[in-house]
């Protein structure tokens, strides 16, 4: 009897390596692997988001001068988590592992990433939850791939599908999240990753469904921009011009980050000292300019509805760029995509204040698209994601701005692992 059971078990596992032969359609067993990856990614993202919301509400009770010690303590705790549990790395490491480590993202770094990012994001750091989600869901894709006994490009594709499920859960855009997980791997041979587009899209759809069920997510724009009215062919020129402005500040952001990176690396202090110092500085900025606190998911609407004057907007622009740069370089964990959208929104409002005849929505969306495409080199997905988040259904002007930011970006990329000069090990 034991021999018969073993034979049945072996036959069952062998079926996992075979296509579903009775199936007359395109989908096969791989479809179900992609779907499972998306469902698991959606559950992880939903759970993370719920915990993050409750933790953020708790820490938001500390206002006024109390924000300084709150962010300092959270920075210290995040640094201690990284020091004792392990350094989870940043987006550079994720890109490198997909490119050079056969698509493997190690789950062993997930506890450190989750805990440290919760302290950083919930306390008010200018980084969002997209990087932690991508790390965790991407490594989950790797783990599932090993369970399904995948190797080579199939394993890499499932890791990318996991990454896409994380992006999609946050942005609420399955197609945009899928493309972003591929574009972020940018290099001159990046087209080789586009075989993962269908796995990423399937996983994104299932992740979106699960995430929406868990947090009761509705369909609609996240940020309340005024309705855009097309005025003629010159709108495309305006979008490109606004894109140039956004790209300029993309360059400024990159150089500010490099400056603070040198500052924080000047002495080889332990990571928890750096995160503590970063928390103190961020707390001082948040105390003086409360709208710069947090990563911008809700603050962008405050900015749009606030009717702020030009001088105040200029101060917000300067200190938000400083806050993002300090958050990135002092060892705090999180993603910088939505914070860059906040900077783009501020730029668009400044342009409208200087030139009242300019369509506010077009200026805001164009600046958001250009600065993000300049820093992350993701013009296609940025266009689709912004169309979803802002309700701006005219994709062509956004695409003009995105491509402007992409082609005018610095030759040396902000995400170092995107460099074409890297050679596979």
């Amino acid at each position: 009897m034991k021999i018969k059971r073993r034979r049945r078990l072996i036959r069952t596992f062998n079926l996992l390596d075979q296509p579903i032969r009775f199936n007359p359609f395109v989908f096969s067993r791989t479809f179900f692997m992609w779907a499972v990856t998306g469902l698991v990614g959606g559950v992880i993202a939903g759970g993370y988001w719920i915990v993050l919301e409750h933790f953020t509400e708790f820490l938001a009770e500390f206002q006024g001068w109390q924000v300084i010690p709150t962010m300092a303590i959270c920075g210290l705790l995040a640094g201690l988590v990284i020091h004792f549990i392990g350094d989870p790395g940043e987006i550079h490491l994720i890109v490198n592992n997909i490119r050079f480590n056969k698509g493997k993202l190690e789950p062993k770094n997930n506890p450190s990433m989750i805990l440290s990012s919760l302290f950083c994001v919930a306390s008010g750091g200018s980084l969002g939850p997209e990087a932690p989600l991508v790390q965790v869901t991407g490594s989950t894709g790797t783990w599932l791939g090993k369970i399904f006994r995948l190797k080579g490009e199939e394993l890499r594709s499932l890791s990318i599908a996991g990454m896409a499920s994380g992006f999609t859960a946050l942005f609420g855009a399955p197609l945009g999240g899928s493309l972003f997980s591929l574009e972020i791997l940018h290099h001159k041979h990046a087209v080789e990753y586009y075989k993962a587009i269908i796995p990423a899209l399937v996983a994104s759809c299932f992740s979106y469904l699960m995430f929406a069920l868990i947090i009761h997510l509705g369909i609609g724009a996240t940020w309340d921009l005024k309705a855009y009215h097309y005025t003629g062919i010159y709108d495309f020129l305006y979008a490109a011009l606004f894109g140039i402005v956004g790209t300029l500040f993309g360059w400024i952001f990159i150089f500010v980050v490099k400056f603070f990176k040198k500052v924080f690396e000047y002495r080889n202090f332990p990571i928890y000292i750096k995160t503590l110092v970063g928390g103190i500085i961020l707390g001082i900025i948040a105390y003086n300019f409360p709208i710069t606190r947090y990563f911008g998911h809700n603050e962008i609407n405050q900015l749009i509805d606030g009717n702020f004057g030009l001088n105040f907007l200029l101060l917000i622009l300067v200190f938000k760029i400083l806050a993002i740069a300090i958050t990135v370089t002092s060892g705090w964990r999180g993603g910088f995509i939505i914070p860059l959208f906040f900077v783009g929104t501020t730029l668009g409002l400044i342009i409208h204040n200087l030139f009242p005849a300019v369509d506010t929505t077009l200026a805001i969306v164009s600046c958001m698209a250009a600065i993000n495409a300049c820093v992350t080199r993701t013009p296609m997905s940025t266009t689709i994601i912004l169309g979803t988040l802002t309700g701006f259904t005219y994709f062509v002007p956004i695409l003009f701005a995105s491509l402007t930011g992409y082609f005018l970006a610095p030759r040396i990329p902000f995400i170092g692992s995107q460099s074409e000069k890297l050679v596979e090990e």
Side-chain angles (χ1 to χ4, degrees), residues 239-253:
L241 291 174
F242 300 149
I244 291 173
V245 176
T247 305
L248 172 63
F249 279 87
W251 277 72
I252 291 172
F253 168 74

Side-chain angles (χ1 to χ4, degrees), residues 29-308:
R29 75 180 186 94
T30 52
F31 171 86
F32 296 104
M33 288 192 295
W34 305 333
V36 168
T37 301
L39 289 172
V40 174
V43 171
I44 292 171
Y48 181 91
W49 187 264
I50 290 172
V51 173
L52 178 63
E53 279 194 324
H54 286 297
F55 196 25
T56 302
E57 288 176 5
F58 170 72
L59 294 177
E61 297 294 326
F62 299 97
Q63 299 288 335
W65 66 267
Q66 294 177 328
V67 74
I68 300 174
T70 299
M71 296 189 72
I73 293 170
C74 286
L76 175 62
L77 292 174
L80 290 172
V81 167
I82 295 170
H83 180 74
F84 288 107
I85 299 181
D87 190 348
E90 299 174 356
I91 192 67
H92 307 69
L93 180 62
I94 296 174
V95 175
N96 262 340
N97 284 340
I98 290 294
R99 289 180 60 183
F100 304 136
N101 193 30
K102 300 179 181 179
K104 297 176 184 177
L105 300 176
E106 295 299 334
K108 66 179 182 181
N109 296 322
N110 289 347
S112 177
M113 175 60 88
I114 291 171
L115 287 174
S116 60
S117 65
L118 282 173
F119 282 117
C120 295
V121 178
S123 63
S126 287
L127 290 179
E130 60 268 25
L133 283 180
V134 169
Q135 165 69 33
V136 176
T137 56
S139 61
T140 302
T142 300
W143 176 71
L144 290 172
K146 290 178 179 178
I147 289 178
F148 291 125
R149 297 192 288 181
L150 301 182
K151 295 180 181 179
E153 288 305 316
E154 286 188 332
L155 180 60
R156 192 196 307 269
S157 293
L158 204 63
S159 298
I160 292 173
M163 290 172 58
S165 69
F167 277 124
T168 295
L170 179 64
F171 297 127
L175 181 56
S178 304
L179 284 174
F180 201 98
S181 66
L182 299 173
E183 280 192 297
I184 199 71
L185 305 173
H186 168 84
H187 69 349
K188 64 181 178 181
H189 300 304
V191 69
E192 70 187 56
Y193 300 130
Y194 277 78
K195 64 182 68 176
I197 185 63
I198 298 300
L201 188 57
V202 171
S204 292
C205 289
F206 279 92
S207 172
Y208 178 78
L209 176 64
M210 187 57 64
F211 187 73
L213 286 172
I214 292 173
I215 71 164
H216 307 292
L217 180 69
I219 295 178
T222 302
W223 300 315
D224 304 322
L225 294 174
K226 296 178 182 177
Y228 164 69
H229 300 287
Y230 175 71
T231 58
I233 195 70
Y234 287 108
D235 277 11
F236 302 127
L237 175 61
Y238 293 145
L241 291 174
F242 300 149
I244 291 173
V245 176
T247 305
L248 172 63
F249 279 87
W251 277 72
I252 291 172
F253 168 74
I254 291 171
F255 281 108
V256 170
V257 168
K258 289 185 176 181
F259 170 76
F260 278 104
K261 188 175 182 180
K262 290 181 180 178
V263 171
F264 280 102
E265 291 180 351
Y266 182 71
R267 295 287 186 187
N268 191 24
F269 291 112
I271 182 67
Y272 50 86
I273 299 297
K274 295 179 182 179
T275 53
L276 171 63
V277 173
I280 294 171
I281 299 172
L282 291 171
I284 293 171
I285 294 175
Y287 171 68
N288 289 282
F289 302 97
I291 200 170
T292 63
R293 191 182 180 189
Y294 302 111
F295 63 99
H297 183 76
N298 299 313
E299 289 69 30
I300 287 177
N301 277 331
Q302 296 177 24
L303 200 58
I304 294 169
D305 300 332
N307 195 27
F308 298 114

